[in-house]
Amino acid sequence: MCAAIELDRVLVKLLISVTVSLGIYLFFTYFQLRKRKKNCTDSLEEPVFTTESRSETRTDKKMLHGSQHYEAQTLGVGKAIAVLTSGGDAQGMNAAVRAVVRVGIYTGAKVYFVHEGYQGMVDGGDNIREATWESVSMMLQLGGTVIGSARCQDFRAREGRLKAACNLIKKGITNLCVIGGDGSLTGADTFRAEWSGLLADLLKAGKITSDEAKKSSYLNIVGLVGSIDNDFCGTDMTIGTDSALHRIMEIVDAITTTAQSHQRTFVLEVMGRHCGYLALVTALACGADWVFIPESPPEENWEEHLCRRLSETRGRGSRLNIIIVAEGAIDASGKAITSEDVKSLVVKRLGYDTRVTILGHVQRGGTPSAFDRILGSRMGVEAVMALLEGTPDTPACVVSLSGNQAIRLPLMECVQVTKEVTQAMNEKRFGEALKLRGRSFENNWSVYRTLAHIRPPSTKSGYNLAVLNVGAPAAGMNAAVRSTVRIGIIQGHRMFAVHDGFEGLAKAQIEEIGWGGVGGWTGQGGSRLGTKRVLPKKYLEEISNNISNFNIHGLIIIGGYEAFTGSLELMEGRSKYEELCIPFVVIPATVSNNVPGSDFSIGADTALNTITTTCDRIKQSAAGTKRRVFIIETMGGYCGYLATMAGLASGADAAYIYEEPFSIHDLQTNVEHLTEKMKTTVKRGLILRYRTLEQFI
């Protein structure tokens, strides 16, 4: 599997560091409450998983789907939806446009493209064109926005909005989906608030008829946030942010190799306007020595602290330093901190060979990541449902991501909080600005400071922790080990690395590992510790002896379903071996994403991006050879996560997964669909299916 340059590396630092910190805290809370007992008789309670009969589930699903299918297909009859993109472009916008068009058509509504954003809505004419199912084919893998975006001064004036309203009314459009930043969404809300007045003016001027005014008596607005800056409050992630992080990490990985060769310091400036999200998460993902963000300016004498930090890193044997600067970075007095300022400081005080790289608009370009395609698609579906379910009294809403769910929030409330962040920074209330960014931003900042700025204590805690990898390798495992080791050291614990999983734990392949021992691991794929699928049941005696010999007080197990199963076997062994009466923490790391209790596993995103990229290339090759169907097998064992999500991200015609049994009738239906598809201008097909473990043996 390719190196962890995807969301896994971004996710790992927050997920792993927070999880490990909590786990370590629980370790020693556990020991404070209960010391080891000679006769440990902990009983194992098997987790209970209730499952219905597969045939009954299938029948129930068909009945439910049948009624929902009919309701959805008639929900948009007699209605019209317009979709536009405004402001700065962002990867994933096309996925959202595609979803709005196809779901709108599926519900029976007419869907219109508004080309060139608000300017196209003001100008009208050919800028507002009806969309078809085929017109959005092959859009998923394209960056930017196919329907165009433009800054529009005309729409800021009432006269411009009057023209835009007239153009929409003539097309019978009363539902508008706007994809853009906070400025674009604020403009949409203003447009909606003025709608009644605009109708009256147009009717009075004779530009519309009374019948047209009656049919267009109200306007529904739904916003989708498309911005690489991730600066909109109310959503965990905006469309385009993940792809921008991909571009940044690709460049950071490339820079790292040349920096190591020449022992250089690199200062990288990333975009983000007045939001430090890109800079902060990049610093987490690449293990940067320092990051400057506008929400939390450095303290006084930060110059000395920075130079000391860089010197300490070199003193531990590192051949490079990485400093990340957000384009809106400032000091405590509000003075801008530029990448050139940082370079001059490092050269003057330390004499290091230092280079500056300003990434610029390369962050906006390129193919959208799988995450952004899925995010845009899910938000587009929710936007159509919100529009068609809206009433004259329904306030304008924005579709946001909360956890793993697409939700609807009041648009202007989110816009107001976003403006409050900027106001707080202008008034130097940086602590409040940090909180207003949201819990996720705060957690990212806390984890970064813990890993980068807190020195290990001189006194030791007296506890020993061991970390091991179990199961198949997954991209991001090494980043997880790095965070585990360094947070353990920061808290004063001795950290031990176990090679080759449970088998290595049984054979005493255990060694103490220090801060520098995990340096540079963040961007490396696979497992540096080595990992095997071997379960511990037949090695319980040897494992218990080595836990005693090395005086291990807790295990951190990073792996997939084998790690989960193995931890249960260790718990079963507690009744016989008291050495196993120690806490275990399992951190899910598997491309299959099949560990119970976790929505997302380390490695799954990298695998998903690899599959999606492969599908893109196959679709591109199919464009030159008509009437061809490609069938792609994905990994995942008995979990259909990869096949399902890759199908969504690549625009596949079908995905066959273990969780949803299919019959010959289903296959026949899909073949008939492909036959009809070949009669259109899109003469290619793409089908994904899961591949079970037995097929590899």
Side-chain angles (χ1 to χ4, degrees), residues 139-390:
M139 281 179 62
L140 267 175
Q141 65 268 33
L142 301 179
T145 166
V146 170
I147 60 176
S149 179
R151 311 284 183 183
C152 180
Q153 292 298 325
D154 293 340
F155 193 75
R156 295 176 181 270
R158 181 178 173 81
E159 184 61 30
R161 294 193 291 273
L162 199 65
K163 293 179 181 178
C166 183
N167 290 327
L168 293 185
I169 292 169
K170 291 299 181 182
K171 297 284 187 180
I173 298 169
T174 57
N175 299 281
L176 183 61
C177 177
V178 178
I179 307 171
D182 58 336
S184 301
L185 301 185
T186 301
D189 187 73
T190 302
F191 189 44
R192 181 181 186 274
E194 292 181 349
W195 186 256
S196 297
L198 296 173
L199 279 181
D201 290 351
L202 290 170
L203 185 60
K204 184 178 180 180
K207 293 183 178 181
I208 62 173
T209 66
S210 57
D211 187 52
E212 288 174 331
K214 185 178 180 181
K215 290 180 179 179
S216 305
S217 58
Y218 66 93
L219 177 69
N220 284 328
I221 294 286
V222 170
L224 304 182
V225 189
S227 168
I228 68 168
D229 302 331
N230 202 31
D231 58 351
F232 192 83
C233 295
T235 184
D236 293 342
M237 204 76 154
T238 58
I239 297 170
T241 303
D242 184 70
S243 299
L245 288 170
H246 278 235
R247 300 293 92 77
I248 296 169
M249 291 311 305
E250 288 168 2
I251 294 168
V252 169
D253 285 344
I255 283 175
T256 298
T257 56
T258 183
Q260 287 176 333
S261 300
H262 299 277
Q263 299 191 59
R264 284 178 174 150
T265 295
F266 268 86
V267 182
L268 278 79
E269 183 176 310
V270 301
M271 297 177 77
R273 292 195 303 172
H274 302 295
C275 179
Y277 182 86
L278 288 179
L280 174 56
V281 178
T282 298
L284 272 173
C286 72
D289 297 286
W290 198 279
V291 62
F292 294 92
I293 61 172
E295 291 86 354
S296 184
E299 300 172 355
E300 292 184 7
N301 299 320
W302 62 267
E303 296 91 345
E304 294 180 8
H305 188 184
L306 170 61
C307 293
R308 183 175 67 250
R309 171 74 180 168
L310 299 181
S311 299
E312 289 174 352
T313 303
R314 292 291 179 98
R316 287 193 289 264
S318 176
R319 293 177 58 85
L320 79 157
N321 297 112
I322 299 291
I323 301 169
I324 309 296
V325 181
E327 66 176 346
I330 55 176
D331 62 18
S333 65
K335 180 184 176 182
I337 298 176
T338 68
S339 51
E340 287 294 336
D341 293 337
V342 177
K343 174 188 174 181
S344 299
L345 172 67
V346 175
V347 171
K348 182 178 179 181
R349 296 204 182 184
L350 299 176
Y352 291 168
D353 186 4
T354 306
R355 298 286 190 274
V356 171
T357 299
I358 300 176
L359 303 189
H361 282 75
V362 68
Q363 296 160 86
R364 290 190 184 276
T367 301
S369 66
F371 180 90
D372 273 329
R373 300 184 198 193
I374 295 167
L375 178 64
S377 298
R378 293 179 61 189
M379 285 187 167
V381 172
E382 189 65 25
V384 173
M385 293 298 104
L387 286 171
L388 298 182
E389 294 169 2

